Amino acid sequence: MASVPENINFPNEEEKIMELWKQIDAFQTSLKLSKSKPRYTFYDGPPFATGLPHYGHILAGTIKDIVTRWAHQSGFYVERRFGWDCHGLPVEYEIDKSLGITGPDDVAKMGIKKYNDECRKIVSRYSKEWEEVVSRMGRWIDFRHDYKTMYPWFMESIWWVFKQLYNKGLVYRGFKVMPFSTACNTPLSNFESGQNYKEVIDPAVIINFPLDDEPDVSMIAWTTTPWTLPSNLALCVHPDLQYVKVKDKSTEKVYIMMKARLSALFKSEDEYTILGTFKGQSLEGKGYKPLFNYFEKMKERGAFHVLCDTYVTEESGTGIVHQAPYFGEDDYRVCMRYKVISRDGSVVCPVDPSGCFTDEVTDFKGQYVKDADKQIMKLLKQNGRLVHQSTTKHSYPFCWRSETPLIYKAVPSWFVRVEWMQDQLLKNNQQTYWVPEFVKEKRFANWLKEARDWAISRNRYWGTPIPLWISEDGEEIVCIGSIEELSRLTGTTVQDLHRENIDQLTIPSTMGKGQLRRVSEVFDCWFESGSMPYAQQHYPFENCKEFENGFPADFIAEGIDQTRGWFYTLLVLSTALFGKPPFKNLIANGLVLASNGQKMSKRKKSYPDPMETVHKYGADALRLYLINSPVVRAASLKFKEEGVRDILKDVFLHWFNAYRLAKEENSPFLYNQSKMDVSENYMDRWITFTQSLIKFVKGEMAAYRLYTVVPRLVKFVDQLTNWYVRMSRRRLKGDSGLADCKAAIETLFSPLWKQTACGKELLQGCYNLAALFSQGHQW
C-alpha cells in the first residue's frame, strides 16, 4: 500500500495521473472495452481553432466531460469526437487583417486559390494548444478521429443536406434587407446579428420635407442614420393615428408631425400653435421635395410621396419615418407594396460591400457611410433641410467577428424557408429536455416563434461552395448532392470541393442554354455546424446504420448564446430533413465574465490565463469552481481566481487531510466493505449516509441537474472533514481503544472512498489519486 505524503501539490499529482493515462491509453481502452454496450450519442459543437480556449470553452468542455463519463460509467458506449469549425468569417477576417485585404477587388487580384491557401494554413494554428489544454483539464475526447468542416467528405454531406432541402422546395433566391458586415463584406443571418449588441451614441436628426402642393408646409422625419438620407425615396405615417399641422413660434415655420410626438421637437406647449388635426391616412399620396437630386428620376415611378403603414409607432421620433427601402426591412416592404420599387426595377443601393458610397452619391462618393454622417448633416443644414440635431444612446448590433457596427442593406441571397415550419419547430422543441428548463420554454421558444427564412449564402471564398449550377438566364438550375454526381455531370474527377477546384467546372445544359456555371456564394458556416450530425458520419455515403441508430443525440451542451446559433441551426435542419429534433437532452450554461462583470478581454488582460490557473491550483479545482457556480444554471459567473484558490483550500486540502488521516493512523488497516461491523457510535451512524448521497447523485445526474449534484458533494466533504473528523479525532488516534479506533477509521474511509468514486466524473485527479494511494483495498 502506497504511503500518503504529508504535503501534496495537486497540479503535480494531476500531471502524474495524466502520464499514467497516456501509458495505458486509458480513454481509447475504455472505448474498446465498452464497444459492445448500448450506444449513448453525444454531439460536440465545433469551435473555431483560430484562437486559444478560454474559460467559456473550459466550462462547456467540463460539463460535456462529466455527463459523457457518467454515461460511460452507467454502462453505455459513448463515442466522443472533437470537431473543428474551419470555414467562414473567423478565418477570413484573420487573413484579411494580416494581408491588408479591404474588399473583393483585393481578393480578385490575389486569386481565390492563393487566398484559400492562406486560410488553410491558419485553420489549425492553435489545434495543438487546444489538445493540450483540453487534455490537461482532464477531459476525455477523441482527437485522433476528429472531424473538420473543411474535410471533403464532411463538405460532401453538407451538399447532400442542401440537395434534400432543394428537392423539398425549401431553397430560393431572394433580395432582402439583411444585417451586413462592411468589414467582412458579407451579409449575416438574423441570429448572427443578434449576438453582439452594444450601447452606442449616434446622431439623431430631424429633417424637413416641403410638400409639393404646399411648399411652405413641411413633413418632418427623425432618423439616427443620416447616411441613409441620400437614398430616401418616401415617407411613412401611421394611417389611424392623429397628426397635426403645427407652427413653430420661434421660426414661424409650419410642420406636420404626429400629435403624440410633439415633445420630440418642442419642450413646452408655449413654443407652438396647432393649426389643424387629422389622421395619417389623409396624408397618403402627398408629394414632397427630394433631399438630394441623385435619384430624382424615381419620382416618375411614385417615389417621394407619403405612404401609410401601421409599423410606425408613437414611441420615438416624429411619427413620420423616412424610407430608404434598400436599407431597412420595413422600408423595403412598404415601398414594394406601394410599387415605389419593384423586383425587376432599378435598385437604389449606393453603398458598396465595404460600406462606402458609390459614384451615384456624388457629394460623398468613396466615404464610409458612418464617417459621412457629419458631412451629410452639414450639407443638409446649408440647404435649409436640417430642423434639429442631437444625439441618442441606444443598443446597436455589431459584427460578432470584426467588432464593427453592422448596417442594414439589401443584398441578393440564397434562403432556406423556415417561417413555414414554425409550428413544427415549436412542437419538436417540446420533445426535448433542457436544463435549465426556462431557457427552452422562454428564450428559445420565443426565438422560434419569430423564426425567419434563413439566409444561408455568403459572398465569401473560404467555405463550402453552394452546389448550384445555373444557366445565364437563371431558368435552368442543377443542384449537385455528391462528389460522384459532380464528376459525372462535369466529366471531371474532383477530390476537393473548395472554390478554387470547382468554380471553373461547367455542366452542359439539357435545355439548349449552353453551359451552366456555379453560383459564386459559399455556405454560411452555421449551415455547416448545423449539419454536423450527418456530416461527421459522412452520412448518407457511409455509416448509415451507425447514424440512424444514434439519431437523435442523447446529449448536447453549449453556452446559452447558442439558442440563436448552433441549437437553432441543428433544430431547423433536422426538422426540415427528418421532421424531428436532433437531440434529446441539452444543458445550456451561462457566460463566464471577467471579475468586473464585463466580457473577458485578452487585450485588456481582464482575466488570468487559464493554464496559469491550472498550474497554480490544478484542473480539478478549476473544474469544481466552474461547476459549483450559478453558470451551470445559465446565469453569468464573474470569474475570480481567489474562488479557484478557495476550492483548493476549503475542499481539496480538507478532503486530502481526512484521507491521509484515515490511511496513516493505522498502517495495517485494510478496508473491506463487506466485513464492516455496524457501529453503535452516533457520529459513525450519522456520517455513513453515503447510500442516500449516491442515490441522490444518480437521480440528479439522470436528470442532468449538475447544479444540485455538485453542491451536495461539496457539502458532504465539509460535513465529513469539519464535523466528523473534528469530533472523532481522539478515537481516530486510538485514545478510546483499538476496536473503537478501527471502527472510526473504517467509518471515515468508507464515505471518503464512496464519495470520491461517486464524484469521479467531476474530479478526475482526486479519484485517481485515491486509487494510486489505495492499491490493495477491498470492496
Side-chain angles (χ1 to χ4, degrees):
M1 181 172 8
S3 62
V4 182
E6 185 173 345
N7 298 307
I8 186 171
N9 184 306
F10 278 94
N12 288 350
E13 295 299 332
E14 288 176 352
E15 289 175 3
K16 292 176 185 178
I17 291 162
M18 285 187 61
E19 187 57 37
L20 174 64
W21 287 349
K22 288 180 182 178
Q23 290 174 10
I24 64 175
D25 200 9
F27 175 48
Q28 293 296 332
T29 301
S30 73
L31 290 177
K32 291 175 184 176
L33 293 175
S34 62
K35 188 74 174 178
S36 61
K37 295 180 178 179
R39 179 180 288 269
Y40 180 95
T41 306
F42 161 69
Y43 295 154
D44 193 29
F48 290 107
T50 50
L52 293 170
H54 51 66
Y55 288 104
H57 294 120
I58 291 171
L59 166 65
T62 300
I63 292 172
K64 297 170 187 177
D65 191 51
I66 291 169
V67 172
T68 53
R69 282 180 184 270
W70 182 269
H72 173 80
Q73 297 292 341
S74 301
F76 292 93
Y77 170 71
V78 189
E79 184 180 77
R80 284 153 274 179
R81 296 175 63 191
F82 201 84
W84 301 100
D85 220 336
C86 302
H87 289 145
L89 289 183
V91 178
E92 293 196 15
Y93 187 64
E94 292 296 320
I95 294 300
D96 290 352
K97 283 196 302 181
S98 64
L99 299 182
I101 291 173
T102 59
D105 291 343
D106 293 337
V107 179
K109 292 175 185 176
M110 180 181 186
I112 292 176
K113 183 182 187 307
K114 187 175 180 181
Y115 183 85
N116 278 357
D117 285 344
E118 293 296 323
C119 291
R120 191 176 279 103
K121 289 177 186 176
I122 73 163
V123 292
S124 299
R125 176 192 291 172
Y126 298 114
S127 58
K128 182 181 179 182
E129 288 86 348
W130 267 85
E131 185 168 355
E132 289 174 353
V133 172
V134 170
S135 299
R136 182 61 187 85
M137 286 304 303
R139 184 181 177 192
W140 280 7
I141 191 161
D142 195 345
F143 284 96
R144 299 179 197 174
H145 305 96
D146 67 353
Y147 71 85
K148 287 185 171 70
T149 57
M150 70 177 191
Y151 287 157
W153 51 264
F154 192 99
M155 296 168 71
E156 183 177 32
S157 288
I158 292 171
W159 277 17
W160 173 83
V161 170
F162 180 73
K163 184 164 185 176
Q164 304 313 300
L165 302 179
Y166 183 84
N167 289 344
K168 290 172 181 274
L170 300 182
V171 175
Y172 69 93
R173 185 171 177 80
F175 204 86
K176 191 171 184 180
V177 176
M178 298 173 60
F180 193 93
S181 171
T182 56
C184 299
N185 304 142
T186 193
L188 302 181
S189 60
N190 58 326
F191 53 86
E192 284 178 298
S193 67
Q195 289 186 334
N196 191 19
Y197 269 80
K198 296 182 180 183
E199 289 292 319
V200 298
I201 296 176
D202 274 329
V205 295
I206 296 177
I207 308 297
N208 68 54
F209 298 83
L211 294 174
D212 290 342
D213 58 355
E214 293 181 88
D216 294 332
V217 178
S218 295
M219 307 283 288
I220 55 173
W222 176 86
T223 182
T224 59
T225 55
W227 63 268
T228 63
L229 290 171
S231 304
N232 171 267
L233 294 183
L235 297 174
C236 189
V237 298
H238 194 295
D240 304 321
L241 297 181
Q242 293 291 316
Y243 285 77
V244 292
K245 181 185 289 187
V246 59
K247 177 183 281 190
D248 184 336
K249 291 182 179 179
S250 65
T251 64
E252 294 298 311
K253 292 185 177 179
V254 179
Y255 302 125
I256 292 177
M257 63 187 299
M258 186 181 285
K259 185 176 183 180
R261 296 302 307 159
L262 283 165
S263 60
L265 183 60
F266 303 106
K267 293 181 180 179
S268 70
E269 294 182 4
D270 297 334
E271 296 180 358
Y272 62 84
T273 302
I274 295 178
L275 304 177
T277 303
F278 40 84
K279 283 191 174 183
Q281 188 72 54
S282 65
L283 297 168
E284 185 179 30
K286 284 185 173 293
Y288 63 86
K289 181 182 178 181
L291 283 174
F292 301 95
N293 60 5
Y294 313 134
F295 307 106
E296 274 185 328
K297 290 183 178 179
M298 292 287 291
K299 192 150 190 171
E300 301 169 2
R301 297 190 51 184
F304 308 113
H305 287 81
V306 179
L307 316 178
C308 289
D309 194 86
T310 55
Y311 91 90
V312 180
T313 72
E314 297 177 301
E315 275 69 54
S316 62
T318 62
I320 298 172
V321 183
H322 114 79
Q323 306 286 284
Y326 293 95
F327 297 105
E329 195 168 4
D330 283 316
D331 306 34
Y332 184 87
R333 174 181 58 78
V334 174
C335 287
M336 185 70 75
R337 177 160 59 87
Y338 276 88
K339 295 183 172 54
V340 174
I341 59 173
S342 61
R343 298 189 188 279
D344 56 354
S346 301
V347 175
V348 179
C349 189
V351 175
D352 68 19
S354 297
C356 296
F357 281 115
T358 58
D359 293 346
E360 297 157 291
V361 181
T362 53
D363 296 299
F364 314 108
K365 67 179 180 180
Q367 293 186 38
Y368 178 63
V369 292
K370 289 284 187 179
D371 296 337
D373 278 344
K374 289 183 179 179
Q375 296 301 317
I376 291 171
M377 290 186 289
K378 182 179 179 180
L379 184 57
L380 289 173
K381 186 176 183 179
Q382 290 175 359
N383 294 339
R385 306 297 292 270
L386 182 64
V387 177
H388 186 264
Q389 180 179 342
S390 62
T391 59
T392 184
K393 186 177 181 180
H394 62 148
S395 184
Y396 193 83
F398 277 64
C399 176
W400 62 280
R401 177 48 49 183
S402 65
E403 294 291 339
T404 55
L406 300 175
I407 65 172
Y408 282 80
K409 182 176 185 287
V411 292
S413 185
W414 291 95
F415 293 85
V416 168
R417 301 183 194 277
V418 176
E419 295 167 20
W420 71 276
M421 55 174 154
Q422 285 178 0
D423 291 343
Q424 186 64 43
L425 289 171
L426 289 165
K427 180 180 177 182
N428 285 344
N429 184 43
Q430 286 303 310
Q431 297 177 40
T432 61
Y433 175 78
W434 290 50
V435 174
E437 187 179 25
F438 76 84
V439 180
K440 164 191 166 182
E441 297 295 344
K442 294 183 179 179
R443 186 182 181 118
F444 194 56
N446 290 340
W447 181 251
L448 295 178
K449 290 174 185 175
E450 301 298 325
R452 307 238 184 121
D453 288 358
W454 176 11
I456 59 167
S457 60
R458 296 291 177 267
N459 304 318
R460 300 299 303 181
Y461 313 95
W462 177 242
T464 301
I466 291 182
L468 292 174
W469 272 254
I470 301 181
S471 61
E472 191 172 342
D473 61 7
E475 292 184 3
E476 184 178 0
I477 301 177
V478 173
C479 182
I480 303 295
S482 69
I483 292 176
E484 182 279 329
E485 185 180 8
L486 178 63
S487 298
R488 175 165 44 83
L489 292 179
T490 62
T492 304
T493 301
V494 178
Q495 294 181 330
D496 189 307
L497 296 179
H498 286 95
R499 283 192 61 177
E500 64 270 24
N501 301 304
I502 68 168
D503 276 6
Q504 73 280 8
L505 301 181
T506 59
I507 296 175
S509 169
T510 59
M511 300 168 61
K513 295 180 179 292
Q515 297 293 316
L516 309 186
R517 301 186 182 279
R518 197 190 73 80
V519 299
S520 61
E521 296 96 331
V522 299
F523 282 110
D524 168 17
C525 61
W526 289 100
F527 190 90
E528 296 180 330
S529 58
S531 301
M532 65 77 53
Y534 330 106
Q536 72 163 349
Q537 297 280 6
H538 194 204
Y539 181 83
F541 307 100
E542 295 182 85
N543 307 310
C544 292
K545 184 177 180 182
E546 289 84 349
F547 166 74
E548 289 161 4
N549 289 342
F551 184 81
D554 292 288
F555 170 66
I556 66 170
E558 289 295 343
I560 193 172
D561 54 326
Q562 294 304 321
T563 50
R564 296 185 175 188
W566 190 52
F567 300 157
Y568 176 72
T569 60
L570 282 174
L571 183 63
V572 166
L573 291 179
S574 69
T575 299
L577 291 172
F578 302 108
K580 59 183 179 181
F583 56 84
K584 300 173 185 174
N585 304 288
L586 182 153
I587 294 178
N589 62 264
L591 302 180
V592 183
L593 306 174
S595 58
N596 61 5
Q598 301 297 312
K599 184 178 179 181
M600 286 187 168
S601 170
K602 187 176 182 180
R603 178 176 56 84
K604 296 178 181 178
K605 297 181 180 179
S606 63
Y607 64 95
D609 180 86
M611 282 300 96
E612 289 181 9
T613 303
V614 170
H615 293 149
K616 277 186 184 179
Y617 309 108
D620 272 347
L622 178 55
R623 283 168 66 116
L624 187 55
Y625 170 71
L626 293 172
I627 297 301
N628 190 36
S629 75
V631 78
V632 186
R633 300 193 299 273
S636 295
L637 168 67
K638 296 178 182 179
F639 184 89
K640 296 181 180 179
E641 185 178 343
E642 53 266 33
V644 185
R645 179 201 63 199
D646 291 344
I647 289 288
L648 182 68
K649 177 171 62 74
D650 298 336
V651 180
F652 288 177
L653 285 177
H654 287 192
W655 173 91
F656 176 75
N657 288 332
Y659 179 76
R660 181 173 172 274
L661 182 65
K663 295 292 291 175
E664 296 297 325
E665 287 296 343
N666 193 327
S667 56
F669 166 71
L670 185 65
Y671 173 65
N672 190 328
Q673 182 184 11
S674 63
K675 295 182 179 180
M676 280 185 64
D677 296 325
V678 177
S679 175
E680 296 298 322
N681 183 280
Y682 284 111
M683 289 299 293
D684 290 353
R685 295 169 71 178
W686 169 70
I687 201 62
T688 53
F689 62 84
T690 47
Q691 285 305 121
S692 65
L693 174 66
I694 292 171
K695 182 179 180 181
F696 174 81
V697 170
K698 286 183 176 179
E700 294 302 285
M701 285 299 294
Y704 296 86
R705 287 191 287 265
L706 302 187
Y707 59 85
T708 60
V709 171
V710 181
R712 184 75 170 262
L713 290 171
V714 171
K715 183 180 180 181
F716 177 77
V717 172
D718 176 68
Q719 291 173 332
L720 182 68
T721 59
N722 287 333
W723 286 100
Y724 182 78
V725 170
R726 184 181 299 175
M727 301 295 291
S728 305
R729 189 171 293 279
R730 295 185 62 188
R731 294 175 61 219
L732 291 165
K733 290 180 176 293
D735 292 356
S736 56
L738 184 61
D740 193 38
C741 175
K742 180 176 181 294
I745 291 173
E746 283 186 334
T747 301
L748 174 58
F749 191 85
S750 176
L752 269 173
W753 182 257
K754 289 179 181 178
Q755 185 260 349
T756 304
C758 184
K760 60 182 176 289
E761 288 76 22
L762 305 172
L763 310 172
Q764 281 299 302
C766 288
Y767 172 71
N768 286 278
L769 188 63
L772 286 173
F773 290 143
S774 304
Q775 294 170 12
H777 81 277
Q778 298 177 16
W779 283 89

